[in-house]
Amino acid sequence: NAGVTQTPKFQVLKTGQSMTLQCAQDMNHEYMSWYRQDPGMGLRLIHYSVGAGITDQGEVPNGYNVSRSTTEDFPLRLLSAAPSQTSVYFCASSYLSKQGSPIYNSPLHFGNGTRLTVT
Amino acid sequence: AQSVAQPEDQVNVAEGNPLTVKCTYSVSGNPYLFWYVQYPNRGLQFLLKYITGDNLVKGSYGFEAEFNKSQTSFHLKKPSALVSDSALYFCAVRPDRGSTLGRLYFGRGTQLTVWP
């Protein structure tokens, strides 16, 4: 059981380049999300998804795109990288249950992160 | 607006002493509260959560947290610190209502250092 797997672990981009950060989970979690972590800022939500074909914006979505074609995968695309996107990116997933509101009870499972540097 | 505050960037404690990492929150409705720990170059790991019921919640690795509704606090505690507890700790809150389904609001993190 691998949990949440993120690739690559490290990436250096030049300004204007594009790339995709991969995220896959094998826990059959409906909910998946992307956060960025910057020093002194905590974690900020970029995009999230509550199931295949359903995505929505979080707190800091500009410059990022997502899609969810399968339950397992939730890639994050940088269309034109900027130095402000230098950060550590975390993918996280959790269950969504239909009984009452236990989605709020389910802790997030995090990947080990992708450290991105944009020069 | 939903928010989480961790008033201390750093907490230093000697091994064997009790530790407290503070967290206060502001949220609409009832809060679901979480503590996560992050070791260097790793993702966040779930420690414990408060949903309802007993105000003292026990979690992984001997950690516990005390929920105080009147003070809107959820402080993380451990009776006897270990050097291996040294890590970055995040408090998070998830409102029971709101527009961003399932979203967790994170504090900025507290670096805990336990000295041998």
Side-chain angles (χ1 to χ4, degrees):
Chain A
N1 192 341
V4 179
T5 302
Q6 290 184 238
T7 56
K9 293 184 179 180
F10 301 95
Q11 183 70 50
V12 179
L13 291 177
K14 295 183 188 243
T15 298
Q17 287 184 317
S18 62
M19 78 158 295
T20 299
L21 280 63
Q22 302 291 344
C23 175
Q25 53 89 12
D26 60 359
M27 297 171 283
N28 204 29
H29 285 169
E30 302 95 330
Y31 182 87
M32 297 186 74
S33 55
W34 277 100
Y35 288 86
R36 60 177 288 174
Q37 182 180 22
D38 302 291
M41 301 288 289
L43 282 85
R44 293 181 291 172
L45 181 66
I46 304 172
H47 286 284
Y48 69 98
S49 168
V50 298
I54 306 170
T55 64
D56 207 344
Q57 296 180 350
E59 183 183 358
V60 287
N62 292 340
Y64 308 95
N65 276 358
V66 292
S67 60
R68 184 95 179 267
S69 56
T70 66
T71 299
E72 295 78 18
D73 300 299
F74 190 44
L76 179 72
R77 297 184 188 85
L78 282 70
L79 303 177
S80 178
S84 60
Q85 294 178 305
T86 294
S87 186
V88 181
Y89 291 83
F90 288 100
C91 180
S93 68
S94 73
Y95 288 109
L96 275 179
S97 175
K98 302 299 186 290
Q99 297 177 354
S101 300
I103 64 169
Y104 301 111
N105 303 345
S106 178
L108 288 176
H109 295 253
F110 283 81
N112 284 333
T114 295
R115 187 174 296 274
L116 175 68
T117 302
V118 183
T119 60
Chain B
Q2 332 291 354
S3 66
V4 178
Q6 293 181 240
E8 299 158 319
D9 292 333
Q10 281 241 314
V11 170
N12 300 310
V13 65
E15 189 173 33
N17 283 0
L19 69 87
T20 298
V21 182
K22 296 179 180 177
C23 172
T24 60
Y25 64 90
S26 174
V27 68
S28 304
N30 295 313
Y32 297 98
L33 295 153
F34 301 82
W35 275 101
Y36 288 83
V37 59
Q38 184 180 31
Y39 297 100
N41 301 313
R42 300 297 299 274
L44 279 69
Q45 298 176 28
F46 168 72
L47 268 183
L48 51 78
K49 65 182 179 184
Y50 172 82
I51 306 301
T52 188
D54 194 348
N55 289 343
L56 186 64
V57 178
K58 294 190 183 297
S60 306
Y61 313 119
F63 283 93
E64 55 191 28
E66 186 169 12
F67 171 65
N68 187 317
K69 187 173 183 178
S70 63
Q71 297 185 3
T72 61
S73 67
F74 189 55
H75 300 331
L76 181 70
K77 300 181 179 185
K78 188 172 183 181
S80 179
L82 299 172
V83 173
S84 57
D85 293 331
S86 298
L88 186 58
Y89 289 82
F90 288 95
C91 181
V93 64
R94 182 180 258 164
D96 70 346
R97 65 200 66 176
S99 59
T100 307
L101 187 66
R103 176 180 172 178
L104 276 177
Y105 294 82
F106 284 90
R108 295 189 175 187
T110 298
Q111 180 65 49
L112 172 68
T113 301
V114 181
W115 300 98

